[in-house]
C-alpha cells in the first residue's frame, strides 16, 4: 500500500501545536526502553489515571519489555475546568492489591501537582515495593508542590493543552498531537 501523508486539520479553538505526533511517538518509545532497563528482572504494575493517560499508557506499554500488569484509577479533582484544587475523590479504585509490587503511576500531565500528590500519598499507604511516576507532560512553572517525577516526557510552558488524551471539557482527546488552546477559549473555559 502506498504510504499516505495525511494533513490533519487543526480544529477551531485549537491553537499552536506544542508536541508533534512523531515527537510523541519517539519519546514514548524512549521512555519504554528506559523503563525496560530500569525494571529488568522485575515485574511492573502500571497504573493509569483515567481518562487522559489511556492513550499515552497504551502506547508506552507496547515499548516495555518486562512483564507488566495494567490497572486504572479514576479520580475527580474539584476545581474549575482548567484548574484542579487538590481535593480529590476516587471514582474508580484499583482492581488488585499493590502490596509488595513495583508500581508506576502513569499520568498524562502534571500541572499544580496536587492530584499526583494525593495519589502518591494514597498509594504509598498500600505498601508497594516501589512507587514511581511517569508523566507525559509537566508544566514546571505551575507546580504548587515539589514532587519527584522519575520519568518525564516533555516539559511544556504554562499553556492549557489538549490532544493525545488530554481534554477540554471532554473534547479533543482524539487529536494525535498536543496543542495549546487558544487564549480566548481558555479564558472562557476557566
Ligand atoms: P494538577 O492536579 O493541577 O497537577 O492537575 C492534574 C490534572 O489536571 C491532570 O491529570 C489533567 O487531567 C488535568 N490538567 C492539568 N493541566 C491540563 C492541561 O493543560 N490540559 C488538559 N488537562 C490538564
Ligand atoms: Mg488526569
Amino acid at each position: 500500500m502506498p504510504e499516505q501523508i495525511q494533513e490533519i486539520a487543526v480544529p477551531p479553538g485549537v491553537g499552536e501545536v506544542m508536541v508533534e505526533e512523531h515527537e510523541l511517538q519517539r519519546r514514548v518509545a524512549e521512555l519504554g526502553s528506559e523503563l525496560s532497563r530500569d525494571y529488568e528482572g522485575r515485574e511492573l504494575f502500571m497504573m493509569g489515571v483515567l481518562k487522559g493517560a489511556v492513550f499515552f499508557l497504551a502506547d508506552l506499554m507496547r515499548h516495555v519489555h518486562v512483564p507488566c500488569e495494567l490497572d486504572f484509577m479514576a479520580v475527580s479533582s474539584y476545581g474549575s475546568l482548567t484548574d484542579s484544587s487538590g481535593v480529590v475523590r476516587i471514582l474508580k479504585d484499583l482492581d488488585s492489591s499493590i502490596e509488595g509490587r513495583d508500581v508506576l503511576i502513569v499520568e498524562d500531565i502534571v500541572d499544580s501537582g496536587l492530584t499526583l500528590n494525593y495519589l502518591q500519598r494514597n498509594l504509598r499507604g498500600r505498601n508497594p515495593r516501589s512507587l514511581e511516576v511517569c508523566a507525559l507532560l509537566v508544566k514546571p512553572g505551575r507546580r504548587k508542590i515539589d514532587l519527584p517525577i522519575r520519568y518525564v516526557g516533555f516539559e511544556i510552558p504554562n499553556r492549557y493543552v489538549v490532544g493525545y488524551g488530554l481534554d477540554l471539557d471532554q473534547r479533543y482527546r482524539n487529536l494525535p498531537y498536543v496543542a495549546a488552546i487558544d487564549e480566548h477559549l481558555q479564558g472562557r473555559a476557566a
Side-chain angles (χ1 to χ4, degrees), residues 84 107-109 111-115 139 159-161 166-167:
S84 76
E107 256 286 30
D108 48 5
I109 188 163
D111 184 23
S112 67
L114 293 171
T115 306
K139 290 187 212 169
R159 303 275 301 273
Y160 195 86
V161 292
L166 293 155
D167 73 304

